[in-house]
Short mmCIF file of all heavy atoms in Angstrom, two decimals:
data_model
loop_
_atom_site.label_atom_id
_atom_site.label_comp_id
_atom_site.label_asym_id
_atom_site.label_seq_id
_atom_site.Cartn_x
_atom_site.Cartn_y
_atom_site.Cartn_z
N VAL L 48 -10.03 -7.34 3.54
CA VAL L 48 -10.18 -6.31 4.57
C VAL L 48 -8.82 -5.82 5.04
O VAL L 48 -7.92 -6.61 5.32
CB VAL L 48 -10.97 -6.85 5.77
CG1 VAL L 48 -11.22 -5.76 6.80
CG2 VAL L 48 -12.29 -7.45 5.32
N PHE L 50 -7.28 -4.06 8.23
CA PHE L 50 -7.63 -3.76 9.61
C PHE L 50 -6.82 -2.59 10.13
O PHE L 50 -5.75 -2.25 9.59
CB PHE L 50 -7.41 -5.00 10.49
CG PHE L 50 -8.36 -6.12 10.17
CD1 PHE L 50 -7.93 -7.24 9.48
CD2 PHE L 50 -9.70 -6.03 10.54
CE1 PHE L 50 -8.81 -8.26 9.17
CE2 PHE L 50 -10.58 -7.06 10.23
CZ PHE L 50 -10.14 -8.17 9.54
N ASP L 51 -7.30 -1.98 11.21
CA ASP L 51 -6.67 -0.75 11.66
C ASP L 51 -5.37 -0.95 12.40
O ASP L 51 -4.71 0.01 12.78
CB ASP L 51 -7.63 0.08 12.52
CG ASP L 51 -8.05 -0.65 13.79
OD1 ASP L 51 -7.55 -1.75 14.05
OD2 ASP L 51 -8.88 -0.09 14.53
N SER L 115 -25.27 -11.83 15.67
CA SER L 115 -24.71 -10.49 15.50
C SER L 115 -25.41 -9.74 14.37
O SER L 115 -24.99 -8.66 13.98
CB SER L 115 -23.21 -10.58 15.19
OG SER L 115 -23.00 -11.21 13.94
N GLU L 117 -25.43 -10.41 11.32
CA GLU L 117 -24.75 -10.45 10.03
C GLU L 117 -25.56 -11.31 9.06
O GLU L 117 -25.84 -12.47 9.36
CB GLU L 117 -23.34 -11.03 10.18
CG GLU L 117 -22.61 -11.16 8.85
CD GLU L 117 -21.22 -11.77 9.01
OE1 GLU L 117 -20.61 -11.60 10.09
OE2 GLU L 117 -20.74 -12.43 8.06
N ALA L 229 -26.18 3.08 14.90
CA ALA L 229 -25.21 2.25 14.16
C ALA L 229 -23.91 2.05 14.92
O ALA L 229 -23.10 1.20 14.54
CB ALA L 229 -24.90 2.90 12.81
N LEU L 230 -23.69 2.80 15.98
CA LEU L 230 -22.44 2.70 16.72
C LEU L 230 -22.23 1.29 17.25
O LEU L 230 -23.09 0.74 17.95
CB LEU L 230 -22.45 3.70 17.88
CG LEU L 230 -21.11 4.02 18.53
CD1 LEU L 230 -20.18 4.69 17.52
CD2 LEU L 230 -21.30 4.93 19.74
N GLY L 231 -21.11 0.67 16.87
CA GLY L 231 -20.79 -0.69 17.31
C GLY L 231 -21.37 -1.78 16.44
O GLY L 231 -21.04 -2.96 16.63
N LEU L 232 -22.23 -1.44 15.47
CA LEU L 232 -22.80 -2.46 14.61
C LEU L 232 -21.79 -2.94 13.58
O LEU L 232 -20.81 -2.25 13.27
CB LEU L 232 -24.04 -1.93 13.89
CG LEU L 232 -25.31 -1.74 14.73
CD1 LEU L 232 -26.46 -1.30 13.85
CD2 LEU L 232 -25.68 -3.02 15.47
N ASP L 233 -22.05 -4.12 13.03
CA ASP L 233 -21.18 -4.69 12.02
C ASP L 233 -21.45 -4.03 10.67
O ASP L 233 -22.60 -3.86 10.27
CB ASP L 233 -21.40 -6.20 11.92
CG ASP L 233 -20.28 -6.88 11.14
OD1 ASP L 233 -20.21 -6.67 9.91
OD2 ASP L 233 -19.50 -7.61 11.76
N THR L 234 -20.38 -3.68 9.97
CA THR L 234 -20.54 -3.00 8.69
C THR L 234 -21.25 -3.86 7.66
O THR L 234 -21.95 -3.35 6.79
CB THR L 234 -19.17 -2.56 8.15
OG1 THR L 234 -19.35 -1.88 6.90
CG2 THR L 234 -18.26 -3.74 7.93
N MET L 235 -21.13 -5.18 7.76
CA MET L 235 -21.81 -6.04 6.80
C MET L 235 -23.31 -6.09 7.05
O MET L 235 -24.09 -6.42 6.16
CB MET L 235 -21.20 -7.44 6.81
CG MET L 235 -19.79 -7.46 6.21
SD MET L 235 -19.20 -9.11 5.79
CE MET L 235 -18.93 -9.80 7.40
N VAL L 236 -23.72 -5.76 8.29
CA VAL L 236 -25.14 -5.59 8.56
C VAL L 236 -25.64 -4.32 7.88
O VAL L 236 -26.69 -4.29 7.23
CB VAL L 236 -25.38 -5.51 10.08
CG1 VAL L 236 -26.86 -5.24 10.37
CG2 VAL L 236 -24.93 -6.79 10.76
N LEU L 237 -24.84 -3.27 8.00
CA LEU L 237 -25.26 -1.97 7.49
C LEU L 237 -25.24 -1.89 5.97
O LEU L 237 -25.97 -1.08 5.39
CB LEU L 237 -24.36 -0.88 8.08
CG LEU L 237 -24.42 -0.73 9.60
CD1 LEU L 237 -23.44 0.34 10.05
CD2 LEU L 237 -25.83 -0.38 10.06
N GLU L 238 -24.43 -2.69 5.33
CA GLU L 238 -24.34 -2.64 3.86
C GLU L 238 -25.71 -2.79 3.21
O GLU L 238 -26.08 -2.01 2.31
CB GLU L 238 -23.41 -3.74 3.35
CG GLU L 238 -21.96 -3.34 3.26
CD GLU L 238 -21.17 -4.41 2.53
OE1 GLU L 238 -21.57 -4.77 1.41
OE2 GLU L 238 -20.16 -4.88 3.08
N MET L 263 -18.70 4.52 5.71
CA MET L 263 -19.38 4.14 6.93
C MET L 263 -19.04 5.10 8.06
O MET L 263 -17.92 5.60 8.15
CB MET L 263 -18.98 2.72 7.34
CG MET L 263 -19.52 1.64 6.41
SD MET L 263 -21.32 1.54 6.54
CE MET L 263 -21.66 0.19 5.39
N PRO L 264 -20.00 5.36 8.96
CA PRO L 264 -19.74 6.31 10.04
C PRO L 264 -18.75 5.77 11.07
O PRO L 264 -18.51 4.56 11.14
CB PRO L 264 -21.13 6.52 10.65
CG PRO L 264 -21.88 5.28 10.31
CD PRO L 264 -21.37 4.84 8.97
N ARG L 265 -18.23 6.67 11.82
CA ARG L 265 -17.24 6.32 12.84
C ARG L 265 -17.85 5.38 13.88
O ARG L 265 -18.99 5.57 14.31
CB ARG L 265 -16.74 7.59 13.53
CG ARG L 265 -15.57 7.36 14.49
CD ARG L 265 -15.17 8.66 15.14
NE ARG L 265 -13.93 8.52 15.87
CZ ARG L 265 -13.38 9.47 16.61
NH1 ARG L 265 -13.99 10.65 16.70
NH2 ARG L 265 -12.26 9.28 17.26
N GLY L 266 -17.08 4.33 14.25
CA GLY L 266 -17.51 3.45 15.32
C GLY L 266 -18.15 2.16 14.89
O GLY L 266 -18.47 1.33 15.74
N VAL L 267 -18.36 1.94 13.59
CA VAL L 267 -18.84 0.63 13.15
C VAL L 267 -17.64 -0.30 13.05
O VAL L 267 -16.49 0.14 12.97
CB VAL L 267 -19.59 0.72 11.81
CG1 VAL L 267 -20.75 1.68 11.91
CG2 VAL L 267 -18.65 1.13 10.68
N THR L 268 -17.87 -1.59 13.05
CA THR L 268 -16.78 -2.56 13.05
C THR L 268 -16.96 -3.57 11.93
O THR L 268 -18.00 -3.63 11.28
CB THR L 268 -16.73 -3.32 14.40
OG1 THR L 268 -17.93 -4.11 14.54
CG2 THR L 268 -16.61 -2.35 15.56
N TYR L 269 -15.93 -4.36 11.73
CA TYR L 269 -16.01 -5.50 10.82
C TYR L 269 -15.84 -6.75 11.65
O TYR L 269 -14.74 -7.03 12.14
CB TYR L 269 -14.93 -5.42 9.74
CG TYR L 269 -14.89 -6.63 8.83
CD1 TYR L 269 -15.67 -6.70 7.68
CD2 TYR L 269 -14.08 -7.72 9.13
CE1 TYR L 269 -15.65 -7.81 6.87
CE2 TYR L 269 -14.04 -8.83 8.32
CZ TYR L 269 -14.83 -8.88 7.19
OH TYR L 269 -14.81 -9.99 6.39
N ARG L 270 -16.93 -7.46 11.90
CA ARG L 270 -16.92 -8.67 12.73
C ARG L 270 -16.24 -8.41 14.07
O ARG L 270 -15.43 -9.20 14.54
CB ARG L 270 -16.26 -9.83 11.99
CG ARG L 270 -17.09 -10.31 10.80
CD ARG L 270 -16.58 -11.61 10.22
NE ARG L 270 -17.59 -12.21 9.36
CZ ARG L 270 -17.43 -13.38 8.74
NH1 ARG L 270 -16.32 -14.05 8.90
NH2 ARG L 270 -18.40 -13.86 7.97
N GLY L 271 -16.57 -7.26 14.66
CA GLY L 271 -16.06 -6.93 15.97
C GLY L 271 -14.68 -6.30 16.00
O GLY L 271 -14.18 -5.97 17.07
N ARG L 272 -14.06 -6.10 14.84
CA ARG L 272 -12.72 -5.53 14.78
C ARG L 272 -12.75 -4.17 14.10
O ARG L 272 -13.56 -3.92 13.20
CB ARG L 272 -11.77 -6.45 14.01
CG ARG L 272 -11.55 -7.80 14.63
CD ARG L 272 -10.61 -8.64 13.79
NE ARG L 272 -9.28 -8.02 13.68
CZ ARG L 272 -8.26 -8.55 13.00
NH1 ARG L 272 -8.46 -9.69 12.33
NH2 ARG L 272 -7.10 -7.95 12.95
N GLY L 273 -11.84 -3.30 14.53
CA GLY L 273 -11.68 -2.05 13.82
C GLY L 273 -11.09 -2.29 12.45
O GLY L 273 -10.25 -3.17 12.26
N PHE L 274 -11.53 -1.54 11.45
CA PHE L 274 -11.05 -1.77 10.09
C PHE L 274 -10.85 -0.42 9.40
O PHE L 274 -11.36 0.62 9.81
CB PHE L 274 -12.04 -2.63 9.30
CG PHE L 274 -13.29 -1.89 8.86
CD1 PHE L 274 -13.43 -1.44 7.56
CD2 PHE L 274 -14.32 -1.63 9.76
CE1 PHE L 274 -14.57 -0.75 7.16
CE2 PHE L 274 -15.47 -0.95 9.38
CZ PHE L 274 -15.60 -0.51 8.06
N LEU L 275 -10.04 -0.48 8.35
CA LEU L 275 -9.81 0.71 7.53
C LEU L 275 -10.78 0.74 6.35
O LEU L 275 -11.50 1.71 6.14
CB LEU L 275 -8.38 0.74 7.01
CG LEU L 275 -7.24 0.53 7.99
CD1 LEU L 275 -5.91 0.72 7.29
CD2 LEU L 275 -7.37 1.45 9.17
N TYR L 277 -12.50 -2.10 2.95
CA TYR L 277 -12.49 -3.36 2.22
C TYR L 277 -13.27 -3.19 0.93
O TYR L 277 -13.98 -2.20 0.72
CB TYR L 277 -13.05 -4.53 3.05
CG TYR L 277 -14.49 -4.41 3.47
CD1 TYR L 277 -15.53 -4.84 2.64
CD2 TYR L 277 -14.83 -3.93 4.73
CE1 TYR L 277 -16.85 -4.76 3.03
CE2 TYR L 277 -16.15 -3.84 5.14
CZ TYR L 277 -17.16 -4.26 4.29
OH TYR L 277 -18.48 -4.18 4.68
N VAL L 286 -15.97 -0.30 0.70
CA VAL L 286 -16.48 0.17 1.98
C VAL L 286 -15.33 0.75 2.79
O VAL L 286 -14.26 0.14 2.90
CB VAL L 286 -17.15 -0.97 2.76
CG1 VAL L 286 -17.72 -0.47 4.08
CG2 VAL L 286 -18.25 -1.63 1.92
N HIS L 288 -14.10 3.04 6.43
CA HIS L 288 -14.46 3.46 7.77
C HIS L 288 -14.08 4.92 7.98
O HIS L 288 -12.91 5.28 7.98
CB HIS L 288 -13.74 2.59 8.81
CG HIS L 288 -14.12 2.90 10.23
ND1 HIS L 288 -13.26 2.73 11.28
CD2 HIS L 288 -15.28 3.39 10.76
CE1 HIS L 288 -13.86 3.09 12.40
NE2 HIS L 288 -15.09 3.50 12.11
#
Side-chain angles (χ1 to χ4, degrees):
V48 184
F50 293 106
D51 62 4
S115 65
E117 177 182 332
L230 196 63
L232 288 184
D233 194 291
T234 180
M235 290 196 289
V236 176
L237 298 177
E238 271 190 53
M263 290 293 181
R265 188 181 190 184
V267 303
T268 65
Y269 175 88
R270 292 191 164 182
R272 297 180 62 180
F274 75 102
L275 310 185
Y277 62 86
V286 182
H288 183 210

